[in-house]
Amino acid sequence: GWEAFVNEAQRTLGVPGFVSRVGRLRTWSPQMQTGNAGTNRLVTITATSHDGTTTIRIDEPLTKLAGVLFGGCVGGLGGGGTGIWMGIGMGVLHSPFAAAGLVLSALSGSYLLARKLFARAAAKRLAGLEELLDRMVTAASDPGG
């Protein structure tokens, strides 16, 4: 059923991959595409058989996703807006405390936004990988298809 696993992985993720085998352990990992590196997902699928039982594991580190979301939201939105909020606090409200409060509010709000977006994106990816696993099991257990 390994061929069925590989076909489902490549069809679902939309990228060709590499297959390796060491003993009873088989691994599929995606071929890294040149160009827009931000779209590459580092999904790794391993399957091992022992005593008639096959164990399938799908891994995807989400550090790249976290970096994009937290860096963009907190760094870009929160940190990038610091000058505006300092200007409003000091220039309009004439208060360093108001300026500090506005900056902290902007940073906190952008952090909470990044957490919300990350949780949503991670849940969506998890659901997609669970669907992939279900299709892989179905494809492997159907000898005709």
Side-chain angles (χ1 to χ4, degrees), residues 23-114:
R24 290 186 294 243
L25 177 68
R26 293 177 185 242
T27 304
W28 179 88
S29 54
Q31 176 182 342
M32 300 295 5
Q33 304 291 316
T34 58
N36 186 2
T39 60
N40 289 332
R41 292 176 62 181
L42 301 173
V43 177
T44 302
I45 300 170
T46 57
T48 184
S49 295
H50 185 67
D51 294 333
T53 301
T54 300
T55 303
I56 305 166
R57 180 180 173 118
I58 303 176
D59 291 307
E60 180 179 17
L62 298 179
T63 53
K64 189 183 210 181
L65 176 64
V68 167
L69 289 174
F70 282 86
C73 288
V74 178
L77 185 61
T82 300
I84 295 170
W85 296 116
M86 287 294 290
I88 291 172
M90 296 297 290
V92 175
L93 302 175
H94 306 291
S95 169
F97 296 113
L102 289 171
V103 168
L104 288 175
S105 295
L107 289 172
S108 299
S110 62
Y111 175 77
L112 292 174
L113 174 64

